[in-house]
Amino acid sequence: MKKSFLTFTLAASVLALSACSDSGDDKTIVTSDAGDITKDELYEEMKTSIGEQAVQILLIEKVLAENFEVTDKEVTAEYDSNKEELGESFDQFLTQNNQTEESYKKVIRLNLLQEKALTEGIEVTDKEIQTQYDRQGTELNARHILVADEETANSLKKQLDEGADFAKLAKENSTDTGSAENGGNVDWFGPGAMVPEFEKVAYELEIDEISEPVASEFGFHIIQVLETRKVEDQPALEDQKDKIRSDLAIAKADQSTLLPKVAELMKDANVEIQDEDLKGALDDILNPQTPAAPTE
């Protein structure tokens, strides 16, 4: 599933409550022998606990919906995709997060709105889409040697170029204990299973070709692809084109630009917070603090 830009549980709760809450309403919503609870009391309690975050989420949703369109069809497609991905555990996922189908779709809509704001103006070519489609239709069987520093990686690559046994070097040197004992073999995998740096290089290698050292968050990899195979029953390109385009645009986007873009939309919307207790709710978005320069 796609990662949410905002805290999932909080966003879901705020969006769900906003659909059934009216400010300034003293209507009783809970009765008991110990006392009743009114909408105003609930509002005041929520304002104290999550008021500022709630204002941020609701305003982000409103200004984005004013400037970008997300259709019910898009929301349903993403919902169905998530449901299919999680399979039998989907209902458990909703329950664990205190969600219903309706409230979860609200979160999906907000997430899609943020994606459209983030990827506005980013171009994805048909060639890039075709390349990604071909990649999604192919799985690789590969092995690697993972070491902590580039110097060691270069030394091992030199040995491999001179005819050293890959499996032996992997067993003796690789810090990936899960694959080292198996000669560095990571078995079959498809797109999204490995860190991006590993995946990019692996899919560009010819069979049996050994890569130069590849840096990732885990260290330096030396990769060799042993086999490839086609994915069975891959959907047609036309059925996946929009999703692939969206995924590639998100991958290209700089996520640090999202909040500044939201801030500009809020300024254009002339937002005025009437509740004195929540006056500063948007300060972090409208007036972000610049990190102080390090002192000597």
Side-chain angles (χ1 to χ4, degrees), residues 131-199:
T131 298
Q132 181 62 23
Y133 176 75
D134 293 340
R135 180 177 294 186
Q136 290 178 182
T138 305
E139 293 180 326
L140 308 180
N141 181 14
R143 58 184 178 180
H144 78 142
I145 303 172
L146 176 64
V147 293
D149 60 274
E150 189 172 13
E151 182 179 355
T152 302
N154 285 329
S155 173
L156 293 172
K157 177 61 165 67
K158 185 174 184 296
Q159 294 177 56
L160 291 167
D161 290 342
E162 294 171 350
D165 183 81
F166 195 109
K168 184 172 183 293
L169 289 183
K171 189 171 183 178
E172 294 173 349
N173 297 277
S174 184
T175 59
D176 179 6
T177 56
S179 67
E181 287 300 316
N182 195 28
N185 197 295
V186 295
D187 210 348
W188 292 95
F189 65 90
M194 301 296 181
V195 291
E197 300 87 352
F198 186 108
E199 178 182 309

Side-chain angles (χ1 to χ4, degrees), residues 105-122:
K105 284 184 175 181
K106 289 179 182 292
V107 176
I108 290 174
R109 184 178 296 277
L110 176 57
N111 216 37
L112 292 175
L113 284 168
Q114 291 177 95
E115 288 178 8
K116 292 198 174 186
L118 184 65
T119 59
E120 184 182 30
I122 294 178

Side-chain angles (χ1 to χ4, degrees), residues 98-272:
N98 297 315
Q99 294 304 301
T100 63
E101 177 178 340
E102 182 181 359
S103 65
Y104 185 46
K105 284 184 175 181
K106 289 179 182 292
V107 176
I108 290 174
R109 184 178 296 277
L110 176 57
N111 216 37
L112 292 175
L113 284 168
Q114 291 177 95
E115 288 178 8
K116 292 198 174 186
L118 184 65
T119 59
E120 184 182 30
I122 294 178
E123 293 186 5
V124 176
T125 67
D126 288 342
K127 182 179 179 181
E128 289 173 316
I129 293 173
Q130 182 67 55
T131 298
Q132 181 62 23
Y133 176 75
D134 293 340
R135 180 177 294 186
Q136 290 178 182
T138 305
E139 293 180 326
L140 308 180
N141 181 14
R143 58 184 178 180
H144 78 142
I145 303 172
L146 176 64
V147 293
D149 60 274
E150 189 172 13
E151 182 179 355
T152 302
N154 285 329
S155 173
L156 293 172
K157 177 61 165 67
K158 185 174 184 296
Q159 294 177 56
L160 291 167
D161 290 342
E162 294 171 350
D165 183 81
F166 195 109
K168 184 172 183 293
L169 289 183
K171 189 171 183 178
E172 294 173 349
N173 297 277
S174 184
T175 59
D176 179 6
T177 56
S179 67
E181 287 300 316
N182 195 28
N185 197 295
V186 295
D187 210 348
W188 292 95
F189 65 90
M194 301 296 181
V195 291
E197 300 87 352
F198 186 108
E199 178 182 309
K200 181 179 186 299
V201 172
Y203 271 94
E204 292 172 352
L205 291 173
E206 299 292 334
I207 300 295
D208 294 332
E209 181 183 359
I210 298 174
S211 74
E212 295 297 325
V214 178
S216 81
E217 61 186 284
F218 298 107
F220 290 83
H221 310 257
I222 301 172
I223 308 165
Q224 184 181 39
V225 174
L226 304 174
E227 302 173 83
T228 66
R229 68 185 181 192
K230 293 297 182 183
V231 175
E232 296 182 3
D233 301 323
Q234 185 189 21
L237 173 59
E238 288 304 314
D239 295 335
Q240 297 190 71
K241 198 167 186 177
D242 290 342
K243 184 178 186 305
I244 293 174
R245 186 186 302 278
S246 174
D247 290 344
L248 290 176
I250 292 170
K252 286 184 176 185
D254 179 359
Q255 294 202 14
S256 67
T257 65
L258 179 59
L259 279 183
K261 182 173 288 189
V262 169
E264 286 302 313
L265 294 176
M266 285 185 177
K267 290 174 182 177
D268 293 343
N270 299 314
V271 177
E272 293 184 11

